Amino acid sequence: MIPVQREEARSHRPSGLRALLLGAMLVALPACGPRRPGLATQPVDALLVARTGVAAPRMRGVDSLVASDSVRAMLARPLTPDAVVRVTLLAQPRLRSLYEEIGLAQADVVQAGLLSNPLASVDRFTEGRFQEFSVALSFVELLRRPLRTRVARARLETTTLQVADAVFRAVTDARSALAETVAAEQSLDLRRRTRQAAQASATTAALVHQVGNLLDLDLASERARAAESDAAVLRAEGEAAASRERLVRALGVDVPGDSLRLPARLADLAGAMPPRDSLVALAVNSRLDLAAALSEINASAREVGLTSRFRYLADGSLAYSGEAEGSRMLRGPGLSVPLPLFDRGQARLQRAQAALRQAVARQEGLIREVRSEVRESLAQLDAAQRRATRYQADVLPLRQRVTRETQLLYNSMAIGVFGLLAAQQAELEAGQGYIESLRDYWIARYHLEQALGTRIP
């Protein structure tokens, strides 16, 4: 038994362990202060501006009213591809949900920098007072804190890249939905004009048939053509209405699809494409999901380092405790650490190493997928471009010429009215084919931009 006087003297003399406990408390206290970080979305904004060429501030809280006014103002005018991007960024609730993933990752960074609260305890309340007390603080958490924070920051970088990639895909999908909707409206207009021509032909056929100058077979053929044109209009009306609602969902707005104002026609073909190899290289350097995969490897490697360094020291605490002995209180510092006899951290280390290997394999697979996606999208775009060019350069001019020549023959009474109507319908069908090829071109172009992870240079 240590004499009381000697123990009291020791309790008032600075010891190495007590000094270490005091130092740990002083270091820990600044890290335990309250922190309320805001949602840091500037990195995502910078990544999107570089890839879309469009900057749109996202409004939160009270500013959401301003955002609503901005969206209404943009919806009041015919939508352009850039306006679609701005509306999507301002109005799409799914994007706001995605941005909150950054907030969650930021909270993880803050949490990684915090220490657990000191554990205080008092025991054995007898003789009007507690006979024992202790205050303990985990010193292992203090040692782990810098590495743990670096891992959390690496996870935050990964999340930021993943969010930016998802937002970029969302705005590109919205642009593609706009092209599809405009093409559907143009197709509907052409289908209606084709129906009008077919109905005129059927009406004329009925009049000619009444005077006995047309066979029953020819009359039935004209009526069938008119009925088929009417059915095509009904199908085009359904496709146009459906495409408008798909555009509404892509934008994230709460308005009926028929209230959207659209441009009159699709844009013409863009310029020539860069070489395929340069596009593949551009995709490898620009794809945000690929960058996120690399960041995940970095975070997993840091996790392995953290786990390996503290493999045998998963926990441990410094304490300052006291115990009543008679009328006096014996006080002094203490230290507790788990002995790594059974759990030597092998499972935690194995798990971290497996996660690292998984991240590496995922990144390798993604690189191969990226290259293949670029080649696939480029092939589709090239085919759509050549088809649209063929219509623009040959099919449409030839059909227009056929109609003009037929009109001349009809004026000279060399052919009948049915020949002229058939030529006009064929010209309208050629126009329909051109619209579809132009629609396929723009959709393929936006798919290629998704495969590249940025705009086509």
Side-chain angles (χ1 to χ4, degrees):
M1 169 105 28
I2 300 174
V4 172
Q5 296 297 330
R6 180 181 177 186
E7 185 65 27
E8 283 186 317
R10 178 179 301 175
S11 65
H12 289 82
R13 185 172 62 244
S15 67
L17 192 57
R18 189 167 57 183
L20 179 61
L21 176 62
L22 181 59
M25 295 286 289
L26 292 175
V27 173
L29 284 176
C32 299
R35 298 181 181 184
R36 301 181 62 181
L39 191 62
T41 59
Q42 293 85 358
V44 176
D45 297 341
L47 292 170
L48 290 176
V49 170
R51 283 160 175 78
T52 64
V54 178
R58 290 177 315 288
M59 309 291 183
R60 305 182 67 195
V62 179
D63 293 338
S64 61
L65 297 176
V66 180
S68 299
D69 292 340
S70 301
V71 170
R72 279 195 291 270
M74 284 186 280
L75 293 179
R77 299 187 293 270
L79 290 170
T80 63
D82 287 349
V84 161
V85 173
R86 293 190 180 93
V87 171
T88 304
L89 291 175
L90 288 171
Q92 180 56 263
R94 287 189 289 107
L95 297 191
R96 295 204 300 271
S97 174
L98 281 174
Y99 275 104
E100 292 303 327
E101 294 290 336
I102 298 177
L104 297 176
Q106 284 182 284
D108 290 341
V109 173
V110 175
Q111 185 63 47
L114 298 177
L115 298 177
S116 300
N117 294 322
L119 180 62
S121 65
V122 290
D123 295 309
R124 291 198 298 132
F125 183 78
T126 59
E127 300 177 358
R129 66 175 185 176
F130 289 101
Q131 302 298 314
E132 296 179 4
F133 76 92
S134 68
V135 178
L137 176 67
S138 173
F139 71 94
V140 174
E141 284 195 8
L142 185 62
L143 298 176
R144 288 166 53 94
R145 177 171 167 265
L147 292 179
R148 194 174 56 189
T149 303
R150 291 172 191 166
V151 171
R153 286 174 177 165
R155 302 284 184 199
L156 172 60
E157 180 183 353
T158 303
T159 302
T160 301
L161 291 169
Q162 291 172 339
V163 169
D165 178 64
V167 174
F168 175 73
R169 291 178 181 278
V171 297
T172 308
D173 286 340
R175 281 175 163 173
S176 181
L178 175 64
E180 183 183 7
T181 306
V182 174
E185 290 293 331
Q186 281 189 265
S187 296
L188 175 59
D189 180 63
L190 272 181
R191 290 295 181 191
R192 285 172 174 166
R193 292 164 60 186
T194 303
R195 180 181 64 179
Q196 186 178 8
Q199 289 176 343
S201 180
T203 302
T204 303
L207 295 175
V208 176
H209 181 267
Q210 285 179 356
V211 297
N213 291 332
L214 190 68
L215 297 176
D216 293 343
L217 175 60
D218 295 333
L219 176 60
S221 297
E222 293 299 327
R223 287 178 173 174
R225 187 181 303 172
E228 289 171 352
S229 299
D230 189 59
V233 168
L234 295 176
R235 186 180 63 182
E237 288 177 346
E239 291 176 351
S243 63
R244 280 178 172 270
E245 292 302 326
R246 284 194 291 272
L247 179 57
V248 165
R249 292 196 295 275
L251 295 173
V253 296
D254 188 17
V255 299
D258 55 7
S259 67
L260 294 177
R261 298 190 62 187
L262 303 172
R265 57 188 295 273
L266 289 169
D268 293 331
L269 297 175
M273 296 297 300
R276 187 179 70 177
D277 292 342
S278 66
L279 291 178
V280 172
L282 177 64
V284 172
N285 293 325
S286 302
R287 284 278 291 254
L288 292 171
D289 54 347
L290 196 55
L294 287 172
S295 179
E296 178 64 25
I297 292 176
N298 177 45
S300 299
R302 290 182 180 278
E303 186 73 41
V304 170
L306 174 62
T307 306
S308 177
R309 181 169 297 184
F310 291 92
R311 174 180 177 181
Y312 298 106
L313 192 60
D315 196 7
S317 60
L318 297 173
Y320 187 77
S321 58
E323 179 178 359
E325 184 173 311
S327 60
R328 301 182 181 276
M329 179 68 71
L330 302 180
R331 298 182 294 272
L335 172 67
S336 65
V337 293
L339 298 178
L341 298 180
F342 308 108
D343 182 2
R344 299 181 179 179
Q346 61 270 35
R348 294 191 300 276
L349 183 59
Q350 183 179 359
R351 180 182 180 81
Q353 291 172 339
L356 176 58
R357 291 192 297 271
Q358 187 181 49
V360 172
R362 187 182 300 117
Q363 190 264 347
E364 290 179 356
L366 187 56
I367 286 180
R368 298 176 185 179
E369 292 177 5
V370 165
R371 291 171 177 160
S372 177
E373 286 178 15
V374 171
R375 292 192 294 267
E376 177 189 357
S377 300
L378 188 57
Q380 292 177 339
L381 178 60
D382 182 63
Q385 186 174 22
R386 285 190 286 113
R387 187 157 57 95
T389 303
R390 185 69 169 171
Y391 268 99
Q392 191 177 43
D394 299 322
V395 177
L396 290 180
L398 287 173
R399 280 298 175 190
Q400 292 169 355
R401 180 178 178 183
V402 168
T403 301
R404 288 196 301 271
E405 295 293 336
T406 305
Q407 182 70 51
L408 294 175
L409 292 175
Y410 173 75
N411 293 340
S412 63
M413 302 183 66
I415 62 171
V417 66
F418 301 115
L420 176 60
L421 292 174
Q424 292 175 343
Q425 290 182 17
E427 183 181 349
L428 292 175
E429 291 295 334
Q432 179 67 30
Y434 176 65
I435 291 173
E436 292 176 356
S437 64
L438 201 57
R439 175 202 61 193
D440 295 344
Y441 166 80
W442 281 108
I443 291 177
R445 188 176 177 89
Y446 292 132
H447 285 175
L448 178 59
E449 288 187 353
Q450 281 193 348
L452 295 176
T454 186
R455 292 180 297 176
I456 299 173

